[in-house]
Amino acid sequence: MKRVRQLLLISSSKVHGHEYLQHTRKEIESFCNSNQILRILFVPYAAKDHDAYTEKVATALRGFGYETTGIHTYGDKSEAIKNAQCIFVGGGNTFLLLKTLYELNLVELIRERVTNGDLHYMGSSAGTNVATKSIKTTNDMPIVFPPTFDAIGLVPFNINPHYLDADPNNKHQGETREDRLKEFHEQNVTPVLGLREGTALLVDGDRAQLVGEFNGRLFRQNEKPEEIQPNTDLSFLLQWTD
Amino acid sequence: MKRVRQLLLISSSKVHGHEYLQHTRKEIESFCNSNQILRILFVPYAAKDHDAYTEKVATALRGFGYETTGIHTYGDKSEAIKNAQCIFVGGGNTFLLLKTLYELNLVELIRERVTNGDLHYMGSSAGTNVATKSIKTTNDMPIVFPPTFDAIGLVPFNINPHYLDADPNNKHQGETREDRLKEFHEQNVTPVLGLREGTALLVDGDRAQLVGEFNGRLFRQNEKPEEIQPNTDLSFLLQWTD
């Protein structure tokens, strides 16, 4: 287990044409093997039914060879985090997830342990949003009110998971994803990495890299969005300060 | 001017194939004529550039015969609200709009004056969201943190503007709008009226009616979503209490 920050931030648990988590099996196995991880603590708080959600994820991860338990089954959640080698924070609703993590006093604990290299972090979708600076670039509906939009802050920038290109044939007049991220940058200076489905960000200490089959898209205030090729070194983003 | 609550809550300012606000000209004119409204106070706080946004809306509304000024041009915004016969709250980002209304101490003032029938309210998109019970069913990105998701509360239920049916051919794995509203109802009991683009809700005192060219779609906790035909009486929704 390397004693520096280790993150695998996945855009989505599902990709069209693949079974649940199968599209990212290679990245999960590589992440776990290089960190000698055998057991994973799953965090199901982005969904309502914790048992059913944990069973679904555990089934997929057991298929890859990892024993998986749900944090909700532990009486003392902080102890569960302290004893874990690696957590996987699943997708669902980002607001519900962040609110629950604050209610359980887990935000600071996870930040400390991951930053120190004592806990490895995998997240998908909402679980990726909460790992970043803030949840201000989630796509989710604000169904519950969290105490703040500030998130765990394992990286100093934001991510937009499920990043979606505009469809020129779409007649719907709602904002495109790019419109929304432009609005974000009218109010915030933080860079945003758009992760298309089928991509992820891998962080090893001070190094960050886009992984997966597709390009990422990087949005910075007052700059044109930039296409990022797979395997591009994105370590410079880890140096960002607002 | 009728001395009861008068609202026109529009799904979107733009509809494919129509110029800005033109698709809803009939509803706006009917609303203004029946209430003898000649001047409109525009609230541009859902967007960043208040002057440009006001000019765009004022141009459209002047074309319908209504003099329109932006609230941001008044030194005392509360006085502007107190002197207005009718406000139009424009779309953009719902979080930015609600945060600004709270910062300017306008939420309670608008609620009181509209409820008393002293001020008539037209809203579109984000301007419709903030008129309802809460902004928890907005589609917007949470780019700024408001003090609460509780909104002006001119009606006791929620609206989802720009309501969008799922596209069965879409390969994107993000939640559909219906998925998101189901998640809302896992955490909240409040009914949600989905307003497709090209529709609006008209409220006259204790009567409410769907207007426009298309169906609405009503979502209630633990019930199947219900298609609502144009001109359907929705007054029962005004009796809702959480």
Side-chain angles (χ1 to χ4, degrees), chain A residues 59-183:
Chain A
T59 300
L61 292 177
R62 277 187 207 121
F64 304 170
Y66 308 110
E67 198 48 49
T68 303
T69 51
I71 190 172
H72 65 292
T73 62
Y74 292 82
D76 186 332
K77 314 321 182 201
S78 296
E79 275 301 304
I81 292 285
K82 285 177 191 160
N83 292 326
Q85 219 191 342
C86 180
I87 54 174
F88 183 98
V89 184
N93 186 280
T94 307
F95 297 87
L96 179 61
L97 173 59
L98 189 64
K99 181 169 185 276
T100 308
L101 292 177
Y102 275 111
E103 282 168 355
L104 296 173
N105 283 312
L106 295 179
V107 172
E108 202 171 325
L109 179 65
I110 295 173
R111 182 188 303 132
E112 279 178 18
R113 291 189 61 79
V114 175
T115 306
N116 295 342
D118 293 325
L119 175 68
H120 293 357
Y121 187 107
M122 292 193 288
S124 177
S125 192
T128 286
N129 276 126
V130 300
T132 70
K133 181 173 172 60
S134 84
I135 65 163
K136 289 182 179 177
T137 54
T138 178
N139 309 307
D140 293 341
M141 197 167 260
I143 59 173
V144 295
F145 185 66
T148 169
F149 289 162
D150 294 342
I152 306 177
L154 303 176
V155 296
F157 54 90
N158 270 26
I159 286 176
N160 179 247
H162 297 272
Y163 180 76
L164 187 63
D165 296 291
D167 172 359
N169 297 318
N170 193 346
K171 294 177 178 173
H172 189 69
Q173 300 291 309
E175 290 96 339
T176 66
R177 191 66 58 79
E178 191 158 323
D179 290 339
R180 294 174 195 275
L181 294 172
K182 267 187 209 152
E183 286 176 9

Side-chain angles (χ1 to χ4, degrees), chain B:
Chain B
M1 191 166 171
K2 299 188 211 161
R3 308 298 291 186
V4 292
R5 164 177 59 179
Q6 298 288 339
L7 319 174
L8 179 64
L9 303 179
I10 302 164
S11 173
S12 65
S13 302
K14 284 189 291 183
V15 168
H16 183 76
H18 296 266
E19 291 297 306
Y20 192 79
L21 283 179
Q22 295 296 329
H23 69 285
T24 192
R25 176 174 187 153
K26 194 180 72 173
E27 283 81 19
I28 291 176
E29 289 184 341
S30 168
F31 183 79
C32 290
N33 292 346
S34 71
N35 292 297
Q36 291 121 54
I37 290 161
L38 296 172
R39 299 181 66 234
I40 294 169
L41 182 68
F42 179 63
V43 179
Y45 296 134
K48 193 186 180 196
D49 187 337
H50 301 158
D51 283 337
Y53 192 13
T54 300
E55 187 48 35
K56 180 178 180 179
V57 172
T59 301
L61 292 177
R62 275 186 208 121
F64 304 171
Y66 309 109
E67 198 48 52
T68 304
T69 51
I71 190 172
H72 65 292
T73 63
Y74 293 82
D76 186 332
K77 313 320 182 203
S78 296
E79 275 300 303
I81 292 287
K82 285 178 192 161
N83 292 327
Q85 220 191 341
C86 181
I87 55 174
F88 182 100
V89 184
N93 186 279
T94 308
F95 297 88
L96 180 60
L97 173 59
L98 189 65
K99 181 169 185 275
T100 308
L101 292 177
Y102 275 110
E103 282 168 356
L104 296 172
N105 283 314
L106 295 178
V107 172
E108 203 171 326
L109 180 65
I110 294 173
R111 183 188 302 134
E112 279 178 17
R113 290 189 61 79
V114 175
T115 305
N116 295 342
D118 293 327
L119 176 68
H120 293 355
Y121 187 107
M122 291 194 289
S124 178
S125 193
T128 286
N129 275 127
V130 299
T132 70
K133 180 172 171 61
S134 85
I135 65 164
K136 289 182 178 176
T137 54
T138 177
N139 309 307
D140 293 342
M141 199 169 257
I143 60 173
V144 296
F145 185 66
T148 168
F149 290 162
D150 295 340
I152 305 176
L154 303 176
V155 296
F157 54 91
N158 270 26
I159 286 176
N160 179 249
H162 298 274
Y163 181 76
L164 187 62
D165 295 289
D167 173 359
N169 297 317
N170 193 347
K171 294 178 179 172
H172 189 69
Q173 300 291 309
E175 288 96 341
T176 66
R177 191 66 58 79
E178 192 159 321
D179 290 340
R180 294 174 195 277
L181 294 173
K182 267 186 209 153
E183 285 177 9
F184 172 81
H185 277 141
E186 289 177 355
Q187 304 293 330
N188 301 273
V189 296
T190 314
V192 184
L193 179 63
L195 287 180
R196 291 184 176 89
E197 293 180 352
T199 68
L201 182 75
L202 181 66
V203 178
D204 175 359
D206 292 330
R207 287 180 301 142
Q209 186 183 29
L210 182 74
V211 294
E213 298 176 63
F214 305 105
N215 282 1
R217 193 165 171 87
L218 182 60
F219 298 85
R220 286 183 281 197
Q221 195 182 40
N222 302 325
E223 294 186 31
K224 279 197 172 177
E226 188 183 341
E227 285 292 307
I228 305 291
Q229 310 282 327
N231 305 317
T232 296
D233 186 328
L234 294 171
S235 304
F236 65 94
L237 283 175
L238 298 173
Q239 307 303 322
W240 174 264
T241 50
D242 266 16

